[in-house]
């Protein structure tokens, strides 16, 4: 047995992996390569125009959740896009051997030979379908002026390329521009930069594109740019990098992926943020709410009342106005046509002197510097910054023609253009009108009161009805000067430049991230998932738009204006837990944000403990406060606590360390006292602290008679009785503590005995486990020996069976031989009897048979045959 145990070591057995099964159903439009056939996927990818590859692991929960979304998107696009799913986890598949992914699922898109374009957005069917459609058609065709306005008024930055298809089906540079749009999707899966194509020459001139192959980057507030082909190589990657570096972000979508990320932290560090949670459908053709938010953002950042922004705002408001008519300034005779999309000109207000000093009216002119586009390149649509020398030159040219503007004698505004005296490529615009002297005095007083030269500007653009200065931008708005001007949303326009609390605006899809809105104060049972909140990390506060108000342009403007003023009327939103942790019948009252005012600031004397769940020292004080609550009368004192990690309070009631104890005396809540930090928090110290600060304030001196000695003596007796009562209660508590300590000693002794018994039982258990292991090993050995002997016995039985079968076969053959021999003997005997009477002559006449001659079946055998058979029979008989 010992020799058997030493040579019967068991070998490690590794169960092979189960063969993979199909991840998608057989009726799914997704081609499922569940064995990881990456080579086959590459073949079908090369044969298709647009392909989506879905790499998954069968055990991955996110892959399982994404399966239904991918299948839903595939049902919508199966006739245009090939969807292929590849199991990249099976160890024998080529995908596992060639790809090394760190997460699942992974979604790649290929547009012909371009790719892979990885999709990292929300794993939702509508978002996946939208992204696939953008890969299918990365360029937006802009055929008309209305669609051009739609493209330019979008909140996302846009890049336009102009290509003439009349002479060639594929103009030079078109494929490069097409590839740059795909590069944009590859680098930024959100697709924040949109690419469009213009084929109409007249439409291209509206955005200062003249030559085929030129590229234009639209920006709302900064100068729009044209790709400088003379400086930068015209490649797809360079176009995308140029657009990415120079783009202007108006609104930004935030899509947290659900894991650990610094996305929100990095954005909140940039300054106050306005988060707008709106239900968003990427496949919808129009988004009215986003259009209103875009309009709010344009007005909020339109500091100089740019004419292009004003025209785009008109388009967003769907105001009936000639398309681009207010944006394209009319060129004077002999002057080159200025570009449409240009930077804002510099303007200044000039009050013309009156020859008659007693006149009650004066002529006020708005003088603006305009420039033409003669420089080719990125500066072709830009205007240099306004300088003192340019304005001085404009004033010189203006005063040379001053007499022309003295003749205005009506309330209407008259505009005219005139060339500069210094440069033939520069012209000025002057819009003048007659106003009362009181208005000009108001204007002059405003100028004298301001220290900044920027206050010299005013707003005349809305009054100018003709000419290029019909919508010139200004820094301040003079409503009193031009009351008939359209000053709708004047206070809100350009607000970002008039406040130190400029907001960054972010959008979040409430269908995906409503949990974030609830954490910021949104109601969990909202019927419409729309929510707006302002978070200011620097001030450690945030404000929410009243959920009862609809999220629309007017409410957003009011919300932003209230936040931007110096003394904001907005109330800081306090986040509190839903309910108290302890019911009201407990000794310690649990306070929340909602009950703080009622419990602490409205009732009797309150001793409040500030704690948090993560504070390790706070639970050690619970028994002290419970004993204190037993001592103090419930109708006079309240012992409470608040979890400040779950409940916000106004700043005046917050503390900077935990645990902290504050005492709020009755009817003197403004005289709250903090428990000394250098004093240990014990029951006697807390009791002295409460009794010292709960004494009523001394009464003011009055004409009443002073208390008598008898009254003072009775008061002293009452105080002494109260002190005696407290001492008795303390002695009772000490006795209870002694009893608890004795009970604690007994419990510890029993615990020690139980631990010893536990150790003994553990050792017995370990011994029994070892014996069980030995018995199990012996049983396995006996089982193996039994199986071996059983196999040997089966082998012996098999051999015996074979011998028995062979013996039976031999016996059967022997029986047949006996029967054959007996039959032949009978035949021979019969023949012998038949041949015995034959005469000797016939016998002699028969010639002898040669030894090699053949014998016929019916012929008579030779005479020696009978002798042979006889000898054989005798031998057979002897054998039997």
């Amino acid at each position: 047995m010992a020799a058997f145990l030493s040579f019967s070591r068991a070998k490690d057995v590794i169960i092979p992996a189960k063969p993979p099964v199909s991840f998608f159903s057989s009726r799914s439009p997704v081609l499922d390569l569940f064995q990881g056939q990456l080579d086959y996927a590459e073949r079908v990818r090369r044969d298709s125009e647009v392909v989506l590859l879905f790499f998954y692991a069968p055990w991955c929960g996110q892959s399982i959740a994404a399966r239904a979304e991918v299948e839903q998107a595939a049902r919508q696009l199966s006739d245009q896009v090939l969807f292929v799913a590849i199991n990249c986890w099976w160890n024998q598949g080529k995908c596992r051997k060639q790809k090394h992914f760190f997460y699942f699922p992974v979604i790649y898109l290929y547009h012909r030979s371009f790719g892979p374009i990885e999709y990292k957005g929300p794993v939702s069917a509508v978002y996946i379908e939208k992204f696939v459609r953008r890969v299918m058609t990365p360029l937006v065709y802009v055929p008309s002026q209305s669609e051009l306005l739609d493209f330019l008024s979008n909140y996302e930055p846009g890049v336009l390329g102009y290509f003439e298809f009349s002479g060639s089906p594929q103009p030079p540079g078109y494929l490069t521009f097409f590839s740059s749009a795909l590069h944009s999707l590859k680098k930024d899966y959100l697709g924040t930069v949109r690419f469009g194509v213009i084929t109409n020459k007249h439409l291209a001139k509206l955005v200062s594109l003249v030559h085929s192959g030129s590229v234009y980057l639209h920006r709302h507030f900064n100068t729009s740019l044209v790709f400088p082909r003379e400086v930068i190589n015209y490649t797809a990657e360079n176009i995308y990098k140029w657009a990415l570096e120079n783009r202007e972000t108006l609104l930004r979508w935030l899509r947290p992926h659900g894991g650990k990320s610094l996305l929100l932290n990095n954005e909140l560090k940039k300054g106050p943020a306005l988060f707008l949670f709106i239900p968003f459908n990427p496949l919808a053709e129009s988004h009215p709410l986003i259009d209103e938010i875009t309009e709010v953002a344009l007005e909020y950042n339109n500091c100089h009342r740019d004419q292009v922004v004003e025209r785009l705002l008109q388009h967003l408001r769907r105001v009936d106005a000639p398309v681009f008519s207010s944006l394209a300034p009319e060129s004077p005779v002999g002057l080159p046509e200025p570009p449409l999309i240009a930077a804002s000109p510099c303007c200044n207000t000039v009050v013309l002197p009156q020859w008659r000093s007693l006149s009650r009216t004066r002529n006020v002119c708005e003088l603006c510097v305009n420039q033409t586009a003669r420089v080719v390149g990125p500066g072709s649509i830009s205007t240099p910054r306004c300088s003192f020398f340019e304005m001085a030159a404009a004033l010189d040219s203006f005063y040379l023609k001053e007499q022309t503007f003295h003749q205005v004698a009506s309330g209407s505004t008259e505009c005219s253009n005139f060339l500069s005296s210094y440069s033939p490529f520069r012209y000025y615009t002057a819009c003048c009108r007659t106003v009362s002297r009181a208005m000009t005095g108001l204007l002059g007083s405003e100028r004298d009161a301001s220290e900044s030269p920027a206050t010299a500007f005013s707003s005349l653009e809305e009054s100018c009805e003709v000419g290029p200065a019909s919508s010139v931008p200004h820094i301040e708005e003079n409503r009193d000067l031009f009351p008939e001007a359209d000053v709708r949303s004047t206070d809100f326009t350009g607000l970002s430049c008039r406040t130190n609390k400029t907001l960054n605006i972010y959008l979040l899809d409430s269908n995906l991230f409503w949990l974030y809105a609830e954490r910021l104060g949104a109601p969990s049972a909202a019927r419409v998932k729309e929510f707006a909140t302002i978070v200011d990390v620097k001030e450690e506060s945030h404000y929410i738009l009243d959920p009862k108000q609809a999220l629309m342009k007017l409410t957003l403007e009011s919300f932003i204006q209230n936040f931007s003023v110096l003394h904001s009327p907005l109330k800081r939103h306090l986040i509190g837990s839903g309910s108290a942790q302890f019911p009201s019948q407990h000794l310690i009252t649990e306070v929340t944000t909602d009950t703080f005012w009622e419990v602490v600031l409205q009732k009797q004397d309150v001793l409040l403990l500030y704690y948090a769940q993560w504070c390790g020292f706070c639970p050690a004080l619970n028994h002290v406060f419970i004993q204190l609550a037993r001592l103090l009368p419930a109708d006079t004192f309240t012992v409470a606590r608040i979890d400040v990690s779950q409940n916000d309070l106004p700043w005046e009631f917050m503390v900077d360390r935990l645990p902290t104890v504050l005492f709020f005396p009755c009817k003197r809540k403004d005289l709250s006292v903090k428990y000394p930090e250098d004093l240990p928090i014990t029951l006697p110290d807390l009791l002295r602290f409460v009794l010292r600060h709960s004494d009523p304030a001394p009464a003011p001196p009055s004409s009443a008679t002073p208390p008598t000695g008898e009254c003072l003596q009775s008061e002293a007796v009452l105080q002494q009785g109260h002190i005696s009562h407290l001492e008795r209660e303390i002695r009772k508590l000490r006795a209870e503590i002694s009893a608890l300590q004795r009970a604690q000693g007994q419990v510890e002794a029993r615990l020690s005995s139980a631990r010893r018994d536990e150790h003994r039982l553990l050792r017995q258990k370990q011994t029994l486990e070892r014996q069980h292991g030995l018995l199990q090993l012996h049983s396995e050995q006996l089982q193996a020996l039994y199986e071996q002997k059983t196999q040997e016995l089966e082998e012996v039985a098999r051999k015996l069976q074979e011998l028995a079968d062979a013996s039976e076969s031999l016996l059967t053959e022997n029986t047949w031989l006996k029967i054959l021999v007996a039959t032949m003997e009978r035949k021979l005997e019969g023949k012998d009897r038949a041949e015995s009477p034959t005469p000797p002559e016939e016998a002699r006449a028969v010639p002898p048979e040669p030894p090699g001659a053949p014998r016929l079946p019916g012929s008579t055998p030779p005479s020696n045959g009978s002798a042979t058979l006889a000898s054989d029979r005798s031998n057979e008989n002897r054998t039997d």
Side-chain angles (χ1 to χ4, degrees):
M1 180 62 67
F4 175 77
L5 290 176
S6 61
F7 291 99
S8 62
R9 181 178 178 182
K11 296 182 180 179
D12 295 334
V13 178
I14 299 176
I15 301 176
K18 295 181 180 180
V21 297
S22 179
F23 193 65
F24 289 84
S25 64
S26 58
R27 298 184 300 273
S28 173
V30 181
L31 175 61
D32 190 5
L33 304 179
F34 57 88
Q35 293 182 347
Q37 303 99 310
L38 189 61
D39 50 351
Y40 180 75
E42 290 294 330
R43 286 200 303 271
V44 297
R45 181 186 68 81
R46 288 191 292 267
D47 296 338
S48 304
E49 184 174 0
V50 180
V51 178
L52 184 143
L53 299 183
F54 176 71
F55 299 95
Y56 67 90
W59 53 265
C60 175
Q62 295 181 357
S63 300
I64 296 174
R67 173 173 52 188
E69 305 295 334
V70 172
E71 189 170 359
Q72 182 179 348
R75 295 187 188 279
Q76 299 293 330
L77 301 171
S78 58
D79 56 339
Q80 306 174 55
V81 181
L82 176 63
F83 284 77
V84 181
I86 307 174
N87 182 359
C88 215
W89 185 254
W90 192 44
N91 57 354
Q92 298 182 18
K94 287 190 176 181
C95 183
R96 177 69 180 274
K97 296 176 181 178
Q98 298 181 14
K99 301 287 185 180
H100 304 283
F101 295 120
F102 295 97
Y103 56 88
F104 289 101
V106 178
I107 299 177
Y108 282 170
L109 279 96
Y110 292 86
H111 190 285
R112 296 178 182 173
S113 60
F114 187 90
I117 303 173
E118 184 175 1
Y119 173 72
K120 297 181 181 179
V123 186
S124 174
V126 290
Y127 278 92
I128 295 175
E129 182 179 349
K130 178 64 176 179
F131 187 76
V132 174
R133 292 186 181 277
R134 291 197 70 164
V135 173
M136 293 168 55
T137 56
L139 300 180
V140 179
Y141 178 55
V142 182
S144 63
Q145 291 182 349
S146 176
E147 296 191 15
L148 178 60
L149 282 175
D150 289 337
F151 188 88
L152 297 180
S153 61
N154 196 283
Y155 62 91
E156 293 179 339
V159 177
L160 284 171
Y162 167 53
F163 299 94
E164 292 184 354
F165 285 84
S166 57
S168 172
Q170 199 172 85
Y174 176 75
L175 290 181
T176 302
F177 187 70
F178 187 89
S179 300
S180 66
L182 292 176
H183 270 285
S184 173
L185 295 175
K186 183 177 181 180
K187 299 294 183 180
D188 187 359
Y189 69 93
L190 295 176
T192 53
V193 179
R194 297 170 303 114
F195 285 76
V197 174
I198 297 177
T199 59
N200 189 329
K201 178 174 62 176
H202 302 287
L203 195 62
K205 286 184 179 180
L206 296 178
V207 289
S208 302
L209 296 180
V210 179
H211 304 287
S212 177
S214 53
V215 179
Y216 165 79
L217 173 63
H218 176 69
R219 300 193 293 185
H220 295 293
F221 309 112
N222 295 305
T223 304
S224 300
L225 303 175
V226 173
F227 183 76
R229 304 185 64 167
E230 297 82 2
V231 181
I232 306 175
N233 291 333
Y234 190 82
T235 62
E237 193 165 354
N238 285 344
I239 294 175
Y240 163 70
K241 288 182 178 179
W242 170 77
L244 186 65
E245 293 172 358
N246 297 282
R247 66 179 174 178
E248 183 182 70
T249 304
L250 184 64
L251 304 173
R252 181 179 176 186
W253 281 98
L254 293 182
R255 295 190 176 100
H257 54 73
K260 291 184 178 181
S261 172
L262 296 176
L263 175 64
L264 294 178
N265 179 68
N266 294 335
E267 297 301 329
L268 289 174
K269 284 182 179 179
K270 299 177 181 178
L274 172 61
F275 294 103
L276 300 174
F277 294 84
I278 59 175
F280 180 68
N281 182 11
L283 299 178
E285 296 183 358
S286 62
H287 302 90
L289 183 55
I290 294 183
D291 291 342
E292 290 192 19
I293 296 172
T294 303
E295 184 179 347
V296 171
L298 287 173
E299 290 186 2
Y300 180 67
N301 293 282
N302 189 16
C303 301
H304 304 293
R305 298 187 65 85
D306 187 271
Q307 57 180 348
V308 179
V309 177
E310 293 292 337
R311 181 62 189 95
L312 296 179
L313 285 172
Q314 290 181 5
H315 179 72
L316 287 174
R317 297 169 188 150
R318 299 301 187 264
V319 176
D320 294 333
V323 179
F324 278 114
S325 61
S326 63
L327 296 183
E330 297 178 2
S331 302
V333 179
L335 292 178
E337 182 181 358
L340 171 67
I341 311 296
S344 304
C346 303
C347 298
N348 195 6
T349 303
V350 180
V351 180
L352 296 180
Q354 288 289 343
W355 301 109
R356 293 176 296 173
S357 59
L358 297 179
S359 176
R360 293 181 175 272
T361 60
R362 288 182 182 272
N363 288 341
V364 179
C365 297
E366 195 71 11
L367 178 63
C368 299
V369 179
N370 298 278
Q371 289 183 335
T372 58
R374 282 299 183 93
V375 183
V376 179
S380 61
I381 56 172
S382 64
T383 302
R385 294 184 177 180
C386 186
S387 66
F388 172 78
F389 299 102
E390 291 179 347
M391 187 54 64
L395 290 173
D396 292 342
S397 301
F398 175 76
Y399 285 126
L400 291 176
K401 301 178 180 295
E402 180 181 341
Q403 297 297 329
T404 308
F405 305 100
H406 278 289
Q407 306 302 322
V408 180
S410 62
S412 62
T413 302
E414 298 182 5
C415 298
S416 62
N417 300 314
F418 58 94
L419 288 172
S420 169
S421 303
Y422 298 91
S423 173
F425 302 110
R426 182 169 301 168
Y427 70 98
Y428 305 128
T429 301
C431 295
C432 301
R433 62 169 296 171
T434 302
V435 296
S436 64
R437 194 169 184 177
M439 293 297 180
T440 57
L442 176 63
L443 179 62
S445 63
E446 290 179 355
R447 290 184 181 177
D448 296 338
S450 176
E451 297 180 358
S452 173
T455 56
F457 300 110
S458 61
S459 179
L460 283 171
E461 67 282 64
E462 298 293 345
S463 302
C464 299
E465 300 176 357
V466 294
S470 59
S471 58
V472 293
H474 302 279
I475 294 179
E476 68 178 14
E477 301 87 3
N478 296 324
R479 297 189 195 179
D480 299 330
L481 190 59
F482 302 102
E484 73 278 7
D486 183 11
V487 292
R488 179 176 51 186
S489 303
T490 303
D491 294 337
F492 184 76
T493 302
L495 182 59
S496 64
C497 300
R498 303 196 305 270
T499 179
N500 291 331
K501 298 188 290 185
T502 303
L503 289 169
N504 300 314
I505 305 177
Y506 301 96
L507 302 176
L508 292 96
D509 188 355
S510 58
N511 296 327
L512 302 176
F513 308 111
W514 188 247
L515 178 62
Y516 293 85
E518 293 180 357
R519 294 292 299 273
L520 290 173
S524 57
R527 185 176 59 87
V528 180
K529 291 187 175 181
E530 296 178 355
F531 179 67
T533 178
I534 295 176
V535 180
D536 191 351
V537 175
K538 184 179 180 180
E539 298 296 332
E540 297 185 7
S541 60
H542 83 278
Y543 312 91
I544 66 172
L545 181 66
D546 188 0
K548 298 179 181 178
Q549 297 183 3
L551 186 62
M552 53 189 300
K553 180 178 181 294
L554 295 178
T555 56
L556 274 180
E557 288 181 353
S558 176
F559 187 43
I560 296 174
Q561 283 178 327
N562 290 333
F563 171 77
S564 301
V565 297
L566 183 60
H567 301 286
S568 175
L570 296 178
K571 183 180 179 181
R572 174 172 165 260
H573 180 68
L574 304 178
I575 298 178
S577 56
S579 60
Q581 185 177 355
F582 298 111
S584 58
Q585 60 265 24
H586 282 73
L587 292 174
I588 299 179
T589 303
E590 189 76 16
V591 180
T592 63
T593 302
D594 298 331
T595 62
F596 179 81
W597 180 267
E598 177 185 357
V599 175
V600 178
L601 301 181
Q602 294 292 329
K603 291 188 176 182
Q604 58 249 3
D605 296 341
V606 178
L607 186 70
L608 183 62
L609 169 65
Y610 290 80
Y611 78 100
Q613 297 291 340
W614 48 263
C615 174
F617 301 99
C618 298
L621 303 176
N622 288 338
H623 72 284
V624 177
F625 279 82
I626 291 175
Q627 294 175 11
L628 181 65
R630 289 176 177 174
L631 290 175
L632 299 176
D635 57 346
T636 308
F637 293 93
T638 299
V639 180
R641 70 174 191 170
I642 182 171
D643 185 359
V644 292
S645 64
Q646 300 293 329
N647 299 273
D648 290 339
L649 294 177
W651 292 123
E652 58 269 23
F653 299 110
M654 292 299 293
V655 296
D656 57 352
R657 58 177 292 176
L658 297 177
T660 296
V661 180
L662 291 182
F663 180 72
F664 296 86
C666 179
K667 298 181 180 179
R668 294 179 291 120
K669 300 297 182 180
D670 56 328
L671 300 178
S672 60
V673 185
K674 181 180 179 182
Y675 188 84
E677 297 178 357
D678 55 348
L679 191 65
I681 303 178
T682 61
L683 182 60
D685 292 337
L686 277 175
L687 194 57
R688 294 191 192 96
F689 174 75
V690 170
L691 292 177
R692 181 168 64 251
H693 296 286
S694 62
D695 292 337
S702 62
S703 60
T705 59
T708 62
E710 183 180 357
C711 181
L712 292 175
Q713 185 177 2
S714 62
E715 180 68 21
V717 170
L718 290 176
Q719 292 289 344
Q720 187 64 32
H722 187 61
I723 292 174
S724 300
H725 172 72
L726 291 177
E727 288 178 350
R728 287 194 299 271
E729 292 292 335
I730 291 175
R731 285 196 294 271
K732 290 181 182 179
L733 288 175
R734 288 176 179 173
E736 291 179 2
I737 291 173
S738 300
L740 289 174
Q741 289 177 349
R742 289 193 298 271
Q744 181 182 4
Q746 296 175 1
V747 171
E748 289 179 352
R750 293 181 180 178
L751 286 176
S752 300
S753 177
R755 290 193 186 96
R756 288 194 296 270
D757 294 341
E758 182 183 2
H759 289 310
R760 179 174 53 80
L761 292 175
L762 183 60
R763 288 194 297 270
Q764 292 179 0
K765 178 183 176 182
Q766 292 175 353
T767 303
L768 290 176
E769 286 179 352
R770 287 195 297 270
Q771 292 178 358
H772 176 71
L774 293 175
L775 291 176
Q776 188 174 3
L777 179 62
H778 186 61
S779 174
E780 292 176 356
Q781 294 172 357
L782 291 178
Q783 183 68 23
L785 182 61
Y786 169 75
E787 291 177 357
Q788 182 181 1
K789 295 300 182 181
T790 302
Q791 291 178 358
E792 292 179 357
L793 289 176
E794 289 177 354
E795 184 68 21
V796 171
R798 184 180 61 78
K799 292 181 179 180
L800 291 176
Q801 184 65 31
E802 290 178 357
L803 290 175
D805 294 341
S807 176
E808 183 177 0
S809 176
L810 290 175
L811 288 176
T812 304
E813 292 178 358
N814 192 14
T815 303
W816 282 107
L817 287 174
K818 287 179 181 179
I819 296 173
L820 180 61
V821 168
T823 304
M824 293 186 69
E825 285 180 353
R826 285 194 297 270
K827 288 182 178 181
L828 291 175
E829 288 177 357
K831 288 182 180 181
D832 290 343
R833 286 193 300 269
E835 293 177 355
S836 56
T838 305
E841 291 83 9
E842 293 179 3
R844 287 192 297 268
V846 176
E849 185 178 358
R855 239 178 344 107
L856 296 175
S859 62
T860 303
S863 57
N864 56 357
S866 59
T868 304
L869 291 175
S871 62
D872 292 338
R873 185 176 56 184
S874 61
N875 292 335
E876 184 67 28
N877 293 333
R878 286 195 299 272
T879 303
D880 294 339

